[in-house]
Amino acid sequence: MQDQVASDFDVAEHELAGVLQQLVREKCEVWGEHFTKGMNRPADMPAGVCVRDEGLLVLGCPFGTSEFMERHFAKVLKKTQHLLDNLPRLEDPQSAGKFLRFCATPKFHYHLRTSLPFTRPLAEAAGKHSRALIQAACTLFFLGDVQTKTVRQLKLPLTEGGFGLTDAARIAPAAYFGANAVVLADVLARHEGAAWMPAHGRAGLEAQPWVQAIQAAYDHLLTHYPRSPQSDPLPDVRSLMLRPVGGLQAKLTQRIHQQESASLQAALNDMRDDAGHPTTDGARLQSCKGPGATAWLQAIPFSPATTISPDAFVWNVQFQLAW
């Protein structure tokens, strides 16, 4: 294996030289699944290369042991939590709500697109991220201990009567599949026949663990979120190796949200009070989806005409959630 690593470095140096770039081995790191903590440096490892025994970061994405990934995700969540903890200091729930939706919510989405979607470290971190968003909303809008129906509504997009606090764990397969849908064809075109492929052509690429994860995400999406008659069919992995398809993450996320919205709507429509009479919860959520119903949530407080007082904004949030 070490001989292969040395050969790969030689190839990389040659290719970079072709574009007038230099590979600095002292800035390179190597990790392998068979590496163990505290291991001795392999004798044939290229000089100057740093050997990592637990994992390494590639463009900010962790590859390594579960413990290594957990530590990295914990650092990401800690930074997000710092933002969430400081939102109440604005003393402006309208502006704080914008930061919550546009800044805090997507902070973990990069890892959804670049990390294997069904691993325990990612699933746990995504769940923690979503729970932190809900807790921040409860603090900002004085919601206290919220019911499950309220949490589900908070996670829906504004167009579905929610507040846009997207559930990271729920959309992870869509994010991973959508991100890779635009690169598979390029990877095959550039690296077909490479030494790291166990077979030639598409079969060689399909054998890669990260591509197998794309297939798993595809199967998951087809099973749990079947397309409606109005939606386009989901391209399979083999077809994506021939032609990239952009925008799938957004389309799939919309499909997921629409299904969750329909499920919540049905549950609220079936709710009854203590006397057995239908509650108004279903009608309330339906009205939140109407044209212009969320305009007040989208208003940016840059002038008196678009600014809502803190008390009025909090009251509106609580009213929309039937708190």
Side-chain angles (χ1 to χ4, degrees), residues 18-31:
V19 290
L20 303 181
Q21 297 294 317
Q22 181 180 2
L23 177 68
V24 181
R25 298 195 177 197
E26 287 72 17
K27 293 184 178 180
C28 296
E29 298 180 352
V30 172
W31 172 80

Side-chain angles (χ1 to χ4, degrees), residues 128-194:
K128 291 178 181 178
H129 176 71
S130 294
R131 289 191 293 274
L133 296 177
I134 298 301
Q135 183 57 53
C138 292
T139 300
L140 286 173
F141 308 131
F142 303 96
L143 300 177
D145 295 327
V146 294
Q147 301 179 46
T148 300
K149 64 176 183 178
T150 304
V151 173
R152 293 178 68 182
Q153 185 176 350
L154 285 168
K155 293 179 179 180
L156 291 176
L158 270 61
T159 54
E160 297 294 337
F163 285 78
L165 307 184
T166 305
D167 189 332
R170 185 181 295 274
I171 69 166
Y176 187 78
F177 185 84
N180 284 282
V182 297
V183 302
L184 273 176
D186 183 66
V187 172
L188 183 61
R190 291 174 181 270
H191 302 287
E192 186 172 8

